[in-house]
Amino acid sequence: MTIRYASRLLERVRESETTPLLIATGAFRATQNMAQTTLSLLGVSLGLGSAAIGAIAAGANLVAVLTMLLITAHLSTSAAQRAVYVGLLFMTASIVSFLIPAQFMLLVGALLLGVAGGLVLPSAATAIGQRASNQGDRTHATRGRAFATLALVLSISLTLGPIYESVVLSAAHEHLLAAYLAFLPIALIGARVTRQSQATTDAAPAAPASFWASMAGLGSLFRNQKWCLAVCGQAVYMVPFSLVVVFIGLIGKSLYHIPASTTEVGIAIFFTVSFLCRVALTRWPAVGHRLRLFGVCVAATLCGIGLLAFGHGIGLFMFALAILGAPHGLTYPVALALVADAVPIEELPRANAGFQAVSNLITVAAPLAFGLVIDQFGDRAVLLCAAIPILPLAGLLWVLRDAGRVH
């Protein structure tokens, strides 16, 4: 039943005017995920230690946050799709940099990857939110379904991407640069589709606010409890997800003794579960149960981390990643819907960029800390460290629970 509903949903997506934007965003996310999850293995092959790899990943995430705060947050809603196109150009340049086997080019590629992420994802969310609000039916459920559809497309790309990478790595005898080469055309296709869509879209440019007025607006978001609830809900999962993205290749290799191609199968399972959760949210937006869903995500995250830390064998490795896929599938679309409900449409670029930036600040500190823990205490210790911040964040969700109610 869920699969049939997903098929009908994808048919509607193909007929939608947002299709080029969804295709481009999906292409970006698949390529970004490949680059992020393969970064640690590529770094080791170039002679870098875990601490250095963590520092590079943290630097890339810091660049993403700064791009969101200093550039994306100050764009008008009409400029959102153009920002997606520019971000895909940066992604293409990043992949080309990774193809040059040198430590310095690894750093350059990671920083370009950060700029791309800072432009594409918040801008795509803004464009989708604007079009959903322009349809005349501005109910909570309508916006919830729009963001769930975006998240669903991202999940499809994140499910198919690792499978594609696994096939490429197996055929290339685990040669890592083959993965980057295989994803280069995907980034180019995304940029091409976005460019063509821009040429056929008439949008009157809106005058953006001044830089300092925009920064003041970002500060005011912290007084918006619904926006803060969205950030806390997303942060519950950003801590372990930053570990999975950067170090799962090393964890699979050292704790479970599996090659990179097999780890990519586990990542595909992770994103398949995420995909199914997002399919469910497109049908049942769960507007009145957002806090309850965040609570389920807290429990699933702690369970998945525990299994990954103490499990033995490839079966438990795959099962733990499957459990961790559920919070990934639920938190992002629910949080995006909360952000859209928290502010007027003209403030959506600022709210989306601020949301992405603040939640992504975790991915600046976490990889650096995780890399140091791995070097000093080992892989199981770092998994336990990833669980430590979850309980305080769960407490914050409870404190902000009234903001999640629909009036």
Side-chain angles (χ1 to χ4, degrees):
M1 181 178 177
T2 302
I3 301 300
R4 288 200 302 271
Y5 177 71
S7 299
R8 292 196 299 271
L9 179 66
L10 292 175
E11 184 65 32
R12 291 201 299 271
V13 167
R14 284 195 293 270
E15 297 171 355
S16 171
E17 64 177 9
T18 63
T19 299
L21 181 62
L22 292 172
I23 291 173
T25 309
F28 166 81
R29 192 66 185 93
T31 308
Q32 182 194 42
N33 182 67
M34 179 281 302
Q36 289 174 330
T37 57
T38 314
L39 177 66
S40 61
L41 295 174
L42 184 60
V44 169
S45 72
L46 294 174
L48 295 174
S50 296
I53 293 168
I56 291 173
N61 291 327
L62 179 60
V63 168
V65 169
L66 291 175
T67 302
M68 293 173 193
L69 291 177
L70 300 179
I71 299 175
T72 314
H74 313 297
L75 299 175
S76 63
T77 54
S78 61
Q81 188 162 330
R82 193 179 312 119
V84 174
Y85 170 68
V86 174
L88 278 158
L89 294 182
F90 273 99
M91 170 61 74
T92 302
S94 171
I95 297 302
V96 172
S97 300
F98 284 127
L99 287 170
I100 302 173
Q103 293 182 358
F104 175 73
M105 295 309 297
L106 179 72
L107 174 62
V108 171
L111 296 180
L112 290 173
L113 187 67
V115 175
L119 288 172
V120 174
L121 293 180
S123 298
T126 294
I128 294 294
Q130 180 190 28
R131 293 182 184 187
S133 297
N134 288 342
Q135 290 176 353
D137 181 8
R138 298 189 59 181
T139 65
H140 298 287
T142 299
R143 285 193 294 265
R145 287 192 182 93
F147 288 119
T149 301
L150 170 62
L152 177 63
V153 171
L154 295 177
S155 280
I156 293 171
S157 67
L158 290 170
T159 301
L160 297 179
I163 295 174
Y164 174 51
E165 183 180 0
S166 178
V167 172
V168 169
L169 288 173
S170 296
H173 306 289
E174 307 295 325
H175 188 62
L176 297 174
L177 292 183
Y180 290 91
L181 187 61
F183 275 83
L184 181 59
I186 296 177
L188 290 170
I189 289 170
R192 178 66 175 172
V193 168
T194 310
R195 184 65 174 172
Q196 287 179 331
S197 176
Q198 277 185 265
T200 59
T201 301
D202 296 322
S210 71
F211 175 81
W212 294 112
S214 294
M215 291 303 289
L218 281 172
S220 69
L221 290 172
F222 289 94
R223 297 191 293 272
N224 187 320
Q225 287 199 350
K226 188 167 288 189
W227 183 87
C228 289
L229 178 64
V231 170
C232 288
Q234 180 72 353
V236 163
Y237 195 63
M238 288 304 294
V239 175
F241 186 55
S242 62
L243 174 67
V244 169
V245 166
V246 178
F247 291 110
I248 194 61
L250 290 180
I251 290 171
K253 183 178 180 180
S254 62
L255 290 184
Y256 292 88
H257 310 293
I258 56 179
S261 56
T262 304
T263 299
E264 290 301 324
V265 173
I267 294 173
I269 292 172
F270 171 98
F271 286 118
T272 299
V273 174
S274 173
F275 163 77
L276 294 175
C277 289
R278 291 177 179 182
V279 168
L281 283 178
T282 61
R283 188 169 191 178
W284 303 288
V287 173
H289 304 285
R290 288 166 175 168
L291 189 67
R292 195 173 301 170
L293 282 178
F294 283 145
V296 170
C297 292
V298 169
T301 299
L302 292 173
C303 181
I305 290 174
L307 283 175
L308 207 55
F310 298 109
H312 296 277
I314 189 172
L316 275 180
F317 177 79
M318 299 295 181
F319 184 54
L321 288 177
I323 292 176
L324 288 171
H328 178 270
L330 295 172
T331 52
Y332 185 64
V334 171
L336 277 181
L338 277 169
V339 171
D341 291 346
V343 297
I345 184 63
E346 61 271 12
E347 297 180 19
L348 195 55
R350 185 183 308 153
N352 275 327
F355 162 73
Q356 299 274 8
V358 174
S359 59
N360 282 356
L361 279 174
I362 296 168
T363 66
V364 175
L368 183 59
F370 290 155
L372 292 172
V373 171
I374 288 175
D375 279 348
Q376 296 296 321
F377 304 105
D379 296 324
R380 296 195 193 276
V382 79
L383 288 165
L384 297 178
C385 286
I388 292 174
I390 305 302
L391 293 179
L393 286 169
L396 282 174
L397 287 174
W398 179 253
V399 170
L400 296 169
R401 64 188 181 279
D402 288 341
R405 294 175 181 169
V406 178
H407 304 289

